[in-house]
Amino acid sequence: MSAAHVTAERPQSQGAFLLTLLAAILAIVALPFPVAEGGSRVAGSSLLLGALLLVVPMAGWPRIVGLRLLLNAVIATAAFTLLLFFLSAIEGRAGLGFWATLAATALLTVQVMRDLARLTEGRPTPLRRAFSLAVPVVFGLWLLILWECLVRGFGVPPVLLPPPSAIAVTFASSLPTLWADFRQTFLKAVIAGYAMGCGAGFLLALLVDRVPFLKRGLLPVGNLVSALPIVGIAPIMVMWFGFDWPSKAAVVVVMTFFPMLVNTVSGLNAAGAMERDLMRTYAATHTQSLIKLRLPAALPFIFNALKINSTLALIGAIVAEFFGTPIVGMGFRISTEVGRMNIDMVWAEITVAAIAGSLFYGLVAMIERALTFWHPSYRH
């Protein structure tokens, strides 16, 4: 019997049973309480369907993990849909019945994510990757729905924290502005500064590795410069390079240069002594040893710096725009809209930055996996 078959037919664990039991208890407890302050009870509203559905998973049926996962996912989706449907009518005055049902649905969704994670065990590579991708997708949607329910249920003022629905509306209606800001900040400042900073750090690391006194003298200075605050560097760069994107790219260069330098130098020293002795035995030159042995051994360190810098570069460019920029850019828009109390637009810009940073990081990670597949961290 295959490992996948054993995993699929394994009965639910004690932890899974406790989660579904607690969700069912919360759903039953919610019935006599009002959906909204002064409103009808859950048992007297259409939310009753969601509360009753949440009791079903307590039976632990069906026994096969995949089928039980599908059933739980359908029930959790239906319950969340009913909760969102009620939000417009009870906004700012949600009652205990609503919160108990929300907590029960959240717990069942946690169990869905646990089952998704379990299904990655012993599966073929395509299925394993699909289930591995499904877990963060479900987790992200779960967080957004909880955010929406909590903010609107408690009636949190939008100036403090807008709900995701309001952010999505602003995002959709402001696409031209968001694209212009993205192009100015990311496509111009971040990409240029990232390429120059990482490239210069890598080339200087090769020189530092070749010249011993630079290793002793330059690296401490590099650590000192890397500790300089952005708010101190950005105004200077604006005075040196002007208000347009080159000054922001210069800030990105400063922020990304030394992480690449330090990581590359460390990586070049990561090759084992036995391998180095073997290269010397073969009478390999410095260049041959560098290309055949030391650079491949340094690749994990180099990509570690590239991944760190992918987020540092975006942060540096956005913060640098607070200190002088044309009337376009993500940092400019954030600082301007905060002053106008247009917080929905601020969160829309934050969403663009988060998506861009995540995709950039993911692209670097994909290239890393393709080039360093031999590294122990990728062995299963």
Side-chain angles (χ1 to χ4, degrees):
M1 185 177 293
S2 65
H5 186 70
V6 172
T7 302
E9 294 192 352
R10 185 171 54 196
Q12 66 176 351
S13 63
Q14 184 178 3
F17 175 74
L18 290 176
L19 273 177
T20 53
L21 176 62
L22 184 56
I25 291 174
L26 284 171
I28 293 173
V29 168
L31 295 178
F33 292 101
V35 178
E37 296 176 3
S40 62
R41 297 175 300 163
V42 171
S45 67
S46 57
L47 195 57
L48 173 64
L49 174 60
L52 293 178
L53 285 173
L54 291 168
V55 181
V56 175
M58 183 179 63
W61 181 89
R63 306 296 288 179
I64 299 176
V65 174
L67 295 178
R68 188 171 69 248
L69 167 63
L70 180 62
L71 176 65
N72 290 350
V74 170
I75 291 174
T77 301
F80 269 134
T81 302
L82 289 169
L83 287 164
L84 292 172
F85 174 78
F86 265 87
L87 274 176
S88 57
I90 64 172
E91 191 163 349
R93 56 188 188 90
L96 187 57
F98 177 87
W99 296 122
T101 308
L102 176 62
T105 311
L107 286 175
L108 183 59
T109 309
V110 171
Q111 180 53 38
V112 170
M113 289 185 284
R114 282 167 54 98
D115 284 340
L116 277 173
R118 287 179 65 194
L119 285 177
T120 61
E121 302 173 5
R123 301 283 170 177
T125 300
L127 282 177
R128 185 171 66 247
R129 290 179 179 175
F131 287 125
S132 297
L133 180 62
V135 174
V137 170
V138 173
F139 185 74
L141 291 174
W142 179 71
L143 286 179
L144 288 175
I145 294 173
L146 287 181
W147 179 357
E148 182 82 15
C149 292
L150 291 172
V151 169
R152 295 180 62 185
F154 283 116
V156 178
V159 72
L160 295 180
L161 183 63
S165 57
I167 298 171
V169 170
T170 303
F171 187 96
S173 62
S174 307
L175 287 177
T177 301
L178 294 173
W179 168 249
D181 293 339
F182 172 78
R183 183 176 56 190
Q184 173 72 15
T185 302
F186 192 87
L187 297 183
K188 292 182 178 180
V190 172
I191 297 299
Y194 181 85
M196 289 187 290
C198 293
F202 176 76
L203 293 177
L204 186 58
L206 298 180
L207 180 61
V208 168
D209 180 70
R210 186 66 171 164
V211 182
F213 83 87
L214 287 178
K215 186 180 298 186
R216 294 180 178 272
L218 185 61
L219 290 184
V221 176
N223 292 329
L224 176 65
V225 175
S226 63
L228 294 177
I230 308 176
V231 294
I233 299 174
I236 297 173
M237 295 302 171
V238 169
M239 289 189 291
W240 286 1
F241 299 100
F243 286 92
D244 210 346
W245 66 266
S247 60
K248 317 311 178 285
V251 173
V252 173
V253 169
V254 173
M255 293 190 65
T256 58
F257 176 79
F258 290 104
M260 174 58 73
L261 172 64
V262 173
N263 276 273
T264 304
V265 171
S266 299
L268 291 173
N269 295 322
M274 185 178 298
E275 289 82 359
R276 294 186 186 188
D277 290 340
L278 182 62
M279 294 298 289
R280 283 192 289 267
T281 301
Y282 290 150
T285 64
H286 174 79
T287 303
Q288 290 173 329
S289 178
L290 182 68
I291 295 174
K292 298 291 186 180
L293 172 64
R294 304 183 68 204
L295 274 179
L299 279 179
F301 294 83
I302 294 171
F303 275 104
N304 186 50
L306 289 173
K307 289 189 292 186
I308 293 172
N309 286 342
S310 67
T311 54
L312 282 180
L314 185 57
I315 294 170
I318 291 175
V319 173
E321 288 181 344
F322 291 171
F323 297 92
T325 184
I327 55 173
V328 66
M330 298 167 71
F332 165 79
R333 195 73 55 195
I334 290 173
S335 61
T336 302
E337 299 301 333
V338 165
R340 296 171 54 191
M341 305 299 286
N342 186 10
I343 306 301
D344 292 352
M345 188 62 180
V346 174
W347 278 96
E349 290 284 357
I350 292 173
T351 302
V352 173
I355 294 173
S358 299
L359 291 178
F360 194 16
Y361 183 96
L363 177 62
V364 176
M366 287 176 60
I367 298 173
E368 177 190 21
R369 189 178 185 90
L371 295 180
T372 62
F373 59 89
W374 47 267
H375 195 262
S377 60
Y378 292 113
R379 296 176 186 169
H380 298 287

